[in-house]
Amino acid sequence: MSEIREVIVKTDRLATDKYQVNMGPQHPSTHGVLRLLVTLEGEKVLNVQPHTGYIHSGIEKMCEAITYPQIIHLTDRMDYLSAHMSNEAVALCVENALQIEVPDRVKYIRTIMDELTRLASHQLWWCVFGMDLGALTTFFYGLRDRELILDIFEETCGARMTVSYNTPGGLMFDIHPNFQKRVKDYLKYFRTKLPEYDKLLTGNVIMRERTEGIGYLTLEEAIDFGVTGPSGRASGFSCDVRKHQPYSAYPFVKFNEILDHRCDTLARYEVRIKEMWESISVIEQLIDNIPEGDYALKMKGVLKLPEGEFYQRVESARGEFGVFIVSDGKKNPYRVKLRSPGFSNLFALNNMAKGHKIADLVAIMSTLDLIIPDIDR
Amino acid sequence: MTNDELILVLTGKFPDAIIAQGSQYVEMTVKAESLHETAIQLKQTGEISFDYLFCLTGVDYPKNMGIIYHLESVKHRHVMVLKVRTADRINPSIDTVSDVWITAKYHEREVYDLLGIHFNNHTDLRRLFLEDGWGFPLRKDYVDEVRIVER
């Protein structure tokens, strides 16, 4: 609060060249409640200072009071667009700690769901990226395709976004008998729709003018700031956990890690578009080969992890998501740390936006694909 | 580099540290005084070059505070865990590593905000999520005074 007051007091300085503007917490392009304190000189951005915590919900503290299967339901609420990956991270971490190997069927279904989630997340990102730049049409095109994925989720587990489909030892339910057919139909459909995205936005002159050479993030900076996911890979940072520390069914499939060395906003845009093609290919490799078997192992009613520290990394739609559990042998964890990709990505914003116009700040922030509950936790 | 090779290299480089194979990664515990020097060497030594700090966690232990750094080398693709404990639990302080890995600057702010660990030489140590004057919620003895939901 004291800072807000400071800014109001300082308004008499508007007469000079530099001034400070609060972008957010209700600004539509922040996609949530994030406040950026932007120092401007005319239209030029001199400094961006993110202020977080508007929806800090204390998830890490809550985790200390609940059991391991319950934690999964909290991780849904962080990055709600890659809910399935966050769930999977907790489930894998608990399974590794208990040294359980889940059936292949579970691995396959988890990976298919991962990639469907990634598709849905990138689609929504594409919608709002266009919208942030003023191209409203993309919003309708993207949501049209994303709805169908959410329908598949709904049929599979009853929820559309906060899926909570994983549980330590497997999945909550088996897949719906229609699942394979529906996913295959969807991929066939989306293969014809994805080129539309390029036609509509990628080649657009205005869009390219506003993204090429804007928001430069070098490879060294990306590593130093820990910028992961598509945003990091667009700076040439090879950080795909699916490749480097494969989990679930990723060792069984062939896919490319999309890297780009142009480091600008356009590169981050194109990496995501190309990742959608890779996701389609991963699902196609798995969907016909889901092995028969159990969809979950029989687990004890109360799970107790052995004493020790356990870490699990997964690739969520916006970067590396990590779960770190410190256990003291009880049914509740002693400490849970959730390493969210958005948190690290956000703080590179100042370096990327410095020197650009304030309208470019919107474009840069959009390609970082920030989800605020993921940052605030 | 495999974990065994990494243990050999680290033992040669840091004779004072306690190095062991953890549940997944190589774990190295150092004294609080030598943390900053160790961090610089871990990053700058060519054969290990841990340049990517992907997780920084503060933990409230019964007698002191622990800080755990998860490090990866982008070039060599090996991972290690660096651990350190503060001397005091009530007024804990430790040297910052934000000049070594920039991302630590923000992770340390989060740890300061939620656990009250003071990072020496940090250039911008302010609360990140909560207001000034709020307690430190991740401490085990934290009392939630403004309980909104009554049970």
Side-chain angles (χ1 to χ4, degrees):
Chain A
M1 283 308 282
S2 58
E3 277 148 12
I4 299 176
R5 236 174 277 132
E6 238 174 66
V7 173
I8 295 168
V9 172
K10 280 179 188 163
T11 40
D12 60 325
R13 288 195 195 168
L14 278 175
T16 63
D17 287 336
K18 283 182 205 170
Y19 55 101
Q20 287 187 311
V21 174
N22 275 312
M23 187 167 156
Q26 306 297 347
H27 193 279
S29 79
T30 57
H31 304 296
V33 272
L34 170 73
R35 178 160 67 95
L36 301 174
L37 190 60
V38 191
T39 312
L40 293 169
E41 190 181 63
E43 254 195 292
K44 202 169 116 193
V45 175
L46 295 181
N47 188 31
V48 184
Q49 225 178 41
H51 286 256
T52 53
Y54 284 87
I55 37 174
H56 175 63
S57 46
I59 286 182
E60 289 177 9
K61 182 75 179 173
M62 274 192 261
C63 288
E64 292 175 11
I66 57 178
T67 61
Y68 294 104
Q70 286 172 325
I71 292 176
I72 288 179
H73 302 278
L74 286 182
T75 53
D76 272 350
R77 273 80 187 165
M78 295 171 46
D79 181 353
Y80 44 79
L81 293 182
S82 20
H84 185 84
M85 289 91 143
S86 317
N87 295 167
E88 191 182 354
V90 180
L92 285 169
C93 194
V94 173
E95 284 156 14
N96 286 347
L98 293 171
Q99 296 181 327
I100 299 172
E101 176 84 17
V102 292
D104 275 356
R105 184 178 178 82
V106 176
K107 291 182 184 173
Y108 273 66
I109 297 171
R110 277 181 179 172
T111 308
I112 293 169
M113 289 291 279
D114 269 348
E115 293 307 317
L116 282 175
T117 312
R118 196 180 317 279
L119 272 180
S121 172
H122 283 359
Q123 284 163 353
L124 189 72
W125 160 81
W126 183 79
C127 306
V128 293
F129 177 71
M131 204 173 64
D132 285 344
L133 295 184
L136 195 64
T137 317
T138 60
F139 198 74
F140 304 116
Y141 277 67
L143 280 194
R144 171 197 66 190
D145 301 336
R146 178 170 170 268
E147 280 302 297
L148 299 172
I149 294 187
L150 298 192
D151 287 343
I152 296 174
F153 286 175
E154 191 177 1
E155 198 179 56
T156 309
C157 60
R160 292 169 71 82
M161 277 169 77
T162 50
V163 284
S164 290
Y165 186 41
N166 281 289
T167 179
L171 303 163
M172 286 280 196
F173 329 94
D174 205 353
I175 46 173
H176 192 274
N178 279 341
F179 181 76
Q180 276 157 301
K181 186 181 174 295
R182 263 189 107 156
V183 171
K184 276 190 280 188
D185 286 350
Y186 179 75
L187 293 183
K188 221 166 112 194
Y189 160 83
F190 192 54
R191 269 188 180 279
T192 64
K193 295 298 174 192
L194 193 46
E196 273 186 7
Y197 288 27
D198 286 336
K199 261 190 223 162
L200 196 62
L201 198 61
T202 314
N204 186 296
V205 182
I206 301 170
M207 183 273 191
R208 291 189 90 90
E209 288 281 318
R210 288 197 59 185
T211 52
E212 248 167 328
I214 303 287
Y216 206 75
L217 182 77
T218 62
L219 173 61
E220 289 72 30
E221 280 173 339
I223 296 172
D224 227 7
F225 276 99
V227 178
T228 50
S231 317
R233 288 194 281 279
S235 296
F237 177 18
S238 168
C239 56
D240 199 329
V241 184
R242 295 174 292 170
K243 272 272 181 236
H244 297 299
Q245 299 198 341
Y247 51 94
S248 292
Y250 287 112
F252 312 139
V253 290
K254 282 201 185 104
F255 67 99
N256 297 321
E257 180 182 14
I258 309 291
L259 286 176
D260 203 313
H261 298 276
R262 284 173 296 164
C263 311
D264 60 358
T265 306
L266 184 66
R268 289 188 285 277
Y269 172 90
E270 286 188 357
V271 166
R272 286 198 178 83
I273 296 283
K274 284 178 190 158
E275 275 194 6
M276 285 201 249
W277 285 110
E278 291 299 320
S279 294
I280 293 176
S281 137
V282 169
I283 303 171
E284 280 175 345
Q285 290 173 50
L286 295 173
I287 192 73
D288 279 325
N289 306 321
I290 301 177
E292 292 296 317
D294 290 333
Y295 63 88
L297 292 172
K298 234 185 155 44
M299 302 287 281
K300 282 185 194 152
V302 179
L303 287 182
K304 284 182 185 172
L305 258 55
E307 244 175 85
E309 291 161 4
F310 309 97
Y311 197 94
Q312 179 64 46
R313 312 162 78 177
V314 299
E315 182 74 18
S316 90
R318 22 205 74 63
E320 180 181 332
F321 180 81
V323 178
F324 180 50
I325 297 178
V326 181
S327 165
D328 57 353
K330 298 205 181 81
K331 65 177 170 100
N332 311 324
Y334 186 76
R335 168 89 167 90
V336 176
K337 161 84 184 180
L338 301 161
R339 190 265 187 215
S340 57
F343 183 86
S344 300
N345 292 5
L346 166 69
F347 291 102
L349 185 61
N350 185 22
N351 269 40
M352 295 155 86
K354 236 187 256 177
H356 290 298
K357 300 279 187 289
I358 192 161
D360 295 330
L361 175 61
V362 174
I364 295 165
M365 193 162 54
S366 195
T367 47
L368 277 180
D369 198 9
L370 301 170
I371 297 287
I372 311 305
D374 183 39
I375 297 163
D376 284 0
R377 298 191 301 281
Chain B
M1 211 181 279
T2 62
N3 281 354
D4 293 337
E5 287 165 0
L6 190 60
I7 290 176
L8 273 181
V9 174
L10 289 175
T11 323
K13 203 122 191 72
F14 308 99
D16 294 338
I18 305 159
I19 299 162
Q21 170 69 45
S23 58
Q24 292 151 288
Y25 307 129
V26 176
E27 295 179 357
M28 181 162 98
T29 312
V30 294
K31 290 204 178 73
E33 306 87 72
S34 57
L35 171 70
H36 193 254
E37 185 51 35
T38 311
I40 292 174
Q41 288 198 22
L42 281 176
K43 189 179 178 184
Q44 290 180 352
T45 308
E47 54 183 329
I48 41 179
S49 72
F50 285 102
D51 48 1
Y52 170 35
L53 173 77
F54 61 90
C55 191
L56 194 159
T57 316
V59 187
D60 180 8
Y61 291 112
K63 286 188 186 128
N64 46 26
M65 295 277 182
I67 301 153
I68 299 165
Y69 306 82
H70 284 82
L71 302 165
E72 182 172 1
S73 163
V74 174
K75 193 174 160 202
H76 305 294
R77 286 292 156 198
H78 47 225
V79 180
M80 73 167 285
V81 185
L82 179 66
K83 291 180 178 183
V84 68
R85 298 273 184 122
T86 61
D88 188 18
R89 192 184 159 272
I90 306 299
N91 290 308
S93 72
I94 197 98
D95 287 342
T96 179
V97 294
S98 56
D99 50 339
V100 187
W101 300 284
I102 300 176
T103 182
K105 191 172 166 183
Y106 308 99
H107 281 93
E108 283 175 353
R109 267 181 73 187
E110 188 194 331
V111 172
Y112 166 70
D113 190 8
L114 302 178
L115 277 159
I117 299 174
H118 190 273
F119 289 91
N120 306 326
N121 307 327
H122 193 290
T123 49
D124 186 26
L125 199 63
R126 289 175 292 125
R127 309 230 31 169
L128 188 63
F129 296 139
L130 304 173
E131 282 178 37
D132 292 332
W134 202 285
F136 301 119
L138 280 183
R139 288 196 183 185
K140 293 288 174 186
D141 51 6
Y142 173 74
V143 183
D144 179 13
E145 280 167 0
V146 281
R147 191 166 190 154
I148 299 166
V149 183
E150 298 236 344
R151 284 203 182 171

